[in-house]
Amino acid sequence: MTGGGLLVAGTTSDAGKSVVTAGICRWLVRQGVKVAPFKAQNMSLNSFVTREGAEIGRAQAMQAQACRVEPTALMNPVLLKPGGEQSSQVVLLGKPVGELSARGYHGGRQQKLLGTVLDCLAELRGTYDAVICEGAGSPAEINLRRTDIVNMGIARNARIPVLVVGDIDRGGVFASFFGTVALLSPEDQALVAGFLVNKFRGDVSLLEPGLDMLHGLTGRSTYGVLPFQHGLGIDEEDGMGVRNSRASAPVGEDVLRVAVCAIPLMSNFTDVDALAAEPGVVVRFVDRPEELADADLVIVPGTRGTVRALDWLHERGLAHALVRRAAEGRPVLGICGGFQILGEHIEDEVESRQGQVEGLGVLPVRVRFAREKTLTRPVGEALGEPVEGYEIHHGVAEVHGGEAFLDGCRVGQTWGTHWHGSLESDGFRRAFLREVAAAAGRRFVPAPDTSFAALREEQLDRLGDLIEQHADTDALWRLIESGAPQGLPFIPPGAPA
């Protein structure tokens, strides 16, 4: 028996598809429904490693957590990781299969992957009661419809209904809803069941006349109006910002200031979310050397372009500031690509193909880029505390000095590791912050009871509450179980020939 399905599309990128999908997933699982997330094709530098060693988008890993299931490669069969020269690394079923330009991908390769993504979706629907799919961008990108495998392409082939999400906070939501439907072919329009308004501020009664007019114009219902709430953008694909931030006062006398270098092609900047979850820790992204002056900790994060990021640090004057800071014994943490940048030299014939490049030289590390990507979920101990994380990198580090630190090393107050997600381990995070505070001379004390996992669960429950309290859940379930309503009207002009 095939489980029910729903595709959450959006009028634009960042309309809220990821969080709405997670909210629907959490609402369903609380009703006892066995549910899974799915995104046929994801473009993101924020990725995650599943237990079987497959790389998928972090948004789908977050949605799997909303479903209370273990994430797998089936949930995100195609992941595109943007790189230099307008190209992306193509990750298929969790493993990299090559680099392609946008023209090369949309020119033929994408359509050839349709069978693979449909097989993955069918396998999920055969295992779960419901599969909630997330679209990408807008389903009305008429220049890409012919080769689409993530929006109406997947909906048409799998015969699943579509819910279109619009961000009313940006304005123009009625025109966006109408225009999205009106630019689809009759066959595509027949699957667009209706709309969901996201990020509404104010009195819903003032919006209702517009929703009634929208129904009159399109013959389609609005399935809910979700109010604007801060702090819900967890593990999004491309929206850089600090999530999980807690405004509560510090436990000690001082706050701790963390500056994250906003390097090009930054990947997995979600690593700092766990720091922002700590009361009294202030996290900001920076791109000027003077912004490092008052920071108690500077983080050089991961990147899909290590050599390019290194060049950028030199161009901005940040490289010199980082070297000086390390020499002064002021805390610096390099994660993945940032760890490689802090080393002595980099031999790269894979990512940038620039050969041997000198690093910042503050850690005794030599890095050689291998064609095979490391994808692991390591577990260990550091600073006397258990810690776990995940690794996603081509660079192989040879450490020849310093004090052992996870898979990397530490020299003075400069730390480096390939491990993403290590700061989500509560005991380790607190121990690390105590070391940073002592080195920075701050009277900062980590809160003894901050649980990052519990905070994440709270956020997912808030998303589920949004759906349960502000959406027509009975109508949503009918969509998931029975498909789009019959007889939905065609809205001209339809898709251009």
Side-chain angles (χ1 to χ4, degrees), residues 303-332:
T303 173
R304 248 281 282 162
T306 300
V307 172
R308 176 176 168 184
L310 179 59
D311 290 341
W312 180 87
L313 289 169
H314 281 293
E315 291 164 4
R316 305 285 298 189
L318 284 159
H320 177 70
L322 285 167
V323 172
R324 185 176 67 245
R325 182 183 180 90
E328 293 170 351
R330 302 179 67 199
V332 177

Side-chain angles (χ1 to χ4, degrees), residues 20 42 60 162 170 252 318 397 480:
V20 167
N42 198 346
Q60 280 60 65
V162 178
R170 294 181 172 189
L318 284 159
I480 293 166

Side-chain angles (χ1 to χ4, degrees), residues 354-491:
Q354 290 192 27
Q356 187 146 314
V357 177
E358 295 303 308
L360 298 186
V362 296
L363 288 176
V365 177
R366 304 185 186 102
V367 176
R368 177 184 56 81
F369 273 66
R371 297 201 175 276
E372 197 73 22
K373 182 184 278 191
T374 297
L375 296 168
T376 63
R377 291 273 293 270
V379 176
E381 184 178 299
L383 304 180
E385 297 286 347
V387 58
E388 58 184 80
Y390 56 99
E391 295 185 50
I392 306 170
H393 54 92
H394 284 279
V396 178
E398 176 194 336
V399 179
H400 59 92
E403 180 184 340
F405 175 65
L406 303 177
D407 72 323
C409 65
R410 168 189 183 181
V411 174
Q413 293 302 321
T414 302
W415 321 62
T417 177
H418 275 130
W419 290 24
H420 294 289
S422 63
L423 293 167
E424 295 179 19
S425 298
D426 297 326
F428 167 74
R429 181 180 65 253
R430 286 193 276 269
F432 177 70
L433 289 175
R434 281 193 290 269
E435 292 241 3
V436 168
R442 294 286 184 189
R443 289 173 293 184
F444 168 85
V445 178
D449 56 353
T450 300
S451 167
F452 185 76
L455 288 171
R456 174 56 54 88
E457 278 296 303
E458 287 176 17
Q459 284 187 307
L460 292 171
D461 276 331
R462 286 175 65 199
L463 292 178
D465 292 343
L466 273 180
I467 298 299
E468 189 168 332
Q469 296 167 11
H470 301 283
D472 185 343
T473 52
D474 289 340
L476 271 182
W477 177 245
R478 286 194 296 272
L479 270 189
I480 293 166
E481 193 174 38
S482 305
Q486 297 297 307
L488 291 170
F490 170 70
I491 309 301

